[in-house]
Amino acid sequence: MSTKAKHSHAADDSARPSKRARVSNTAHLPTALGEPEEPSDAVAVSEDSEDDEEEDLATRARLVESMKASDLYLDTINRAVLDFDFEKVCSVSLTNINIYGCLVCGRYFQGRGRNSCAFAHAIHDDHHVFINLETTKVYVLPDGYLVADPSLEDIAFVLSPTFTPTSTSMLSTPAHLQKPSYDLSNKAYIPGYIGLNNIKRNDYMNVVIHSLLHVPPLRDHLLLSSYRGKESELLRRFAGLSKKLWNPRLFKSQVSPHEFLQEVNRVSAGKFSLEKQGDPVEFLGWMLNHLHKDMGGTKKRNSSVIFSTFQGEVRMETQQVLVRPDTGTNEKPRFDIDREIKSTTSPFLFLAVDLPPPPLFQDSVEKNIIPQVSIQSVLAKYDGQKTQESAGQLRRFKCQRLPPYIILHFKRFTKNQFVEEKNPTIVNFPLRGLDFKDYLDAPASHSGTVYDLIANVTHESAAGTTHDKESTVWKVHLRAGAGGGENEKWFQIQDLIVEEIRKEMIVLGETILQIWERRADTTSPMNGMDVDKP
C-alpha cells in the first residue's frame, strides 16, 4: 500500500464519529413547536444520567401531546371570510346532514370521513381546519383529530352564542348603551341594533323581525333557549337569529336572516318570499300564530310566551240595523237599547285601528297639506260608544283585558276593484305615557293602563294615494334604554343602515305597526301624566 493511500485511510478514520450509546427514537422529538430536532450525535447518554434522561423524555412527550391539540394549521384560519348566517348545506352535495365549515375559506362541506366532501377539500385545496356546525367542535383534516384550543372559542361563540339570565336582564337598560361592541374591523356597534341584510325584497320581514326581537319576554325566552329536541325548524332558526342579532362578539356588525327566511318561505308555501314585496302585518300575524303553535301553545290563555305577552280580550257588541221612517236621511244608525244586542268576547294578538279617509278634493292652497290625526281619536274605536256599520250590522268595541305588550295596526291600505290605495294620514302619538284606560272595561281593577312605545314600523313610497310596491321602503324605529330623557335613545334601521334618530322625527312617518309596553310602575297618579311628546 502506498504512503498516499495510508494517509487517505487515516483521514477517513479521523472523520468518523466515535461510537455512542444507542438512544430511543423518542429522544429525537422536538421540545416545542418550531424548535429543530437535536442531531442524534449530540445526544450522549451515560450511566450516571439515566434518571434525568427518562424525566426529560417524559416532559418532551407531554409537550408533543399538547402541541398536537393546538396544532400547526391554526394560523391558516381566516376569520374575515367566516359567515355562519346562510343555510347550512354542503356546497358540493347540497345536503344538510353532518355539515362542517372550512375555517380557511368559509365554505360548507359534508362529513369528515375518507370519502367525504370535507376530506377531499382538505386534500385538494390544502385547507385543514374544519368546524362542526352543530356541535362547534374543531377538527384537522385529513388527519381527523380533534383540536382543543382556547383561541378558537370566539369562532364557536359566533356560530352558537350563549346567554345567561344576568346578561339578558341588562339588554333593555341604559347600561347596555354604554358598552359598545367591536367587530373584526374595529367598528363599534350596539348588540341588538344592527342591520339585517335585504337579500332582495325581504325588508318588510326585516322590520317585523326587529320589532319582535325587541320585546323583552319573547327576546329573553329565545336567547335563553337551547333547542336540541323535536322543536320545529322555524322556531330553532328564529332563536338562532335572535342570538346572532344580540351577539356582543360578532365578526361583522350586521346579520343576514337568509337561513331563517328560507324556512319561512318553505313553511308558508311561498307566500312570504325573499323575491317579492309583501305586507308586514300579514307576516306578523303569520309569525305570531306559528310561533305560538311551535312553542306548544293551545287555545288556552297564557299557554305560550306569545299568548302571555301579546294576547288580550275585546268585547264586540252587534245589532241589526233597522231603517225607521221617522229618521232623517243623514242621521246615522244608532244602537237601540230596546232591541236585542248580541255581545261576544274574543281574544286578540293585535288591535286594528282605522284611519279617517283623506279629503277627496283639495284647493290650490291646501294641496301640499298632509292630513293629521291624534292616536286618541283613532283608538276611540275601542271606547265602547263609537259605532261602525258593516253588512247591515252595527258594531262597537271595548277591551276587556289588555296584554303586557299591545300591538297596534294602522289600516293604511285599502283595495278596490282597480288599485290598492294608500292613506297618507299622519298619526300623532307620544313616545311615553299613552293611557288606555278609556278603552278598557273596569280599568281600576286592571294591573296598569299606561304604556310606552318600544317599536314603530313606518312605510315610505312615492307620493300620492296609490300603493306603489316597487318604490316601497320599510323602516323601523327601536327604543334603546328606557325611562325617557337622556337614558333613552331611538334608532332607525332600514336594512343595513342603522342611525340614531331624534325623537321628534319618529312621528313624521306613515306608521303601519306599533308595539307598546305596559309601564311597570303605575301606582303614582302622576305617572299617567309622564308623557314624552316627540
Side-chain angles (χ1 to χ4, degrees), residues 87 202 204-205 234 237 257-276 283 286-287:
E87 198 166 10
N202 58 280
Y204 74 99
M205 293 190 276
L234 180 74
R237 293 191 183 188
H258 181 272
E259 187 178 13
F260 169 67
L261 296 183
Q262 285 286 89
E263 185 65 15
V264 168
N265 182 59
R266 188 190 68 81
V267 176
S268 66
K271 182 177 181 180
F272 303 107
S273 170
L274 303 174
E275 301 176 354
K276 59 183 180 181
F283 177 64
W286 182 89
M287 273 289 296

Side-chain angles (χ1 to χ4, degrees), residues 312-507:
E313 290 181 352
V314 63
R315 185 188 73 237
M316 180 177 69
E317 295 179 340
T318 59
Q319 189 178 65
Q320 192 74 27
V321 175
L322 291 180
V323 179
R324 293 184 176 182
D326 56 341
T327 59
T329 55
N330 294 327
E331 186 176 349
K332 292 183 179 180
R334 295 176 297 176
F335 272 84
D336 188 351
I337 60 175
D338 296 330
R339 294 189 296 113
E340 179 186 4
I341 298 176
K342 184 179 179 182
S343 179
T344 57
T345 300
S346 303
F348 68 83
L349 288 177
F350 51 81
L351 293 174
V353 293
D354 305 304
L355 297 178
L360 294 177
F361 303 100
Q362 294 177 337
D363 58 26
S364 59
V365 178
E366 297 179 334
K367 64 180 181 181
N368 293 325
I369 296 178
I370 300 176
Q372 300 185 41
V373 66
S374 69
I375 193 171
Q376 287 83 3
S377 63
V378 294
L379 283 175
K381 171 183 177 179
Y382 296 97
D383 63 4
Q385 299 177 4
K386 188 175 182 179
T387 61
Q388 292 182 336
E389 184 180 357
S390 176
Q393 296 275 344
L394 273 182
R395 300 184 299 181
R396 60 188 181 191
F397 304 89
K398 190 90 178 219
C399 294
Q400 301 296 291
R401 179 174 61 84
L402 295 177
Y405 292 83
I406 298 177
I407 302 177
L408 295 182
H409 162 219
F410 297 88
K411 299 173 70 175
R412 197 169 289 278
F413 304 113
T414 54
K415 292 181 180 179
N416 58 31
Q417 189 175 357
F418 305 101
V419 71
E420 185 175 8
E421 295 183 341
K422 177 188 70 173
N423 190 330
T425 301
I426 298 296
V427 180
N428 293 313
F429 52 87
L431 301 183
R432 291 174 49 78
L434 181 60
D435 199 339
F436 282 81
K437 68 179 180 181
D438 294 335
Y439 321 114
L440 179 68
D441 268 349
S445 61
H446 205 267
S447 56
T449 60
V450 179
Y451 285 74
D452 301 327
L453 186 67
I454 63 171
N456 180 59
V457 175
T458 62
H459 163 271
E460 290 182 8
S461 63
T465 58
T466 302
H467 183 199
D468 184 6
K469 291 187 177 181
E470 293 302 319
S471 63
T472 294
V473 173
W474 299 99
K475 298 180 180 180
V476 61
H477 302 125
L478 299 172
R479 187 188 73 184
E486 295 298 325
N487 294 328
E488 184 176 294
K489 293 183 179 180
W490 283 84
F491 290 91
Q492 176 178 276
I493 301 179
Q494 176 194 344
D495 300 331
L496 296 180
I497 304 173
V498 181
E499 53 190 2
E500 188 175 350
I501 186 174
R502 296 173 60 183
K503 296 178 181 179
E504 55 266 26
M505 301 295 291
I506 297 174
V507 73

Side-chain angles (χ1 to χ4, degrees), residues 73-74 76-77 101-104 127-131 138-140:
Y73 302 110
L74 298 190
T76 64
I77 295 175
C102 175
L103 297 184
V104 181
H127 295 174
H128 299 283
V129 191
F130 293 80
I131 186 170
V138 178
Y139 297 87
V140 168

Side-chain angles (χ1 to χ4, degrees), residues 97 134 144 208 237 289 488:
I97 301 173
E134 186 68 27
V208 172
R237 293 191 183 188
N289 283 289
E488 184 176 294

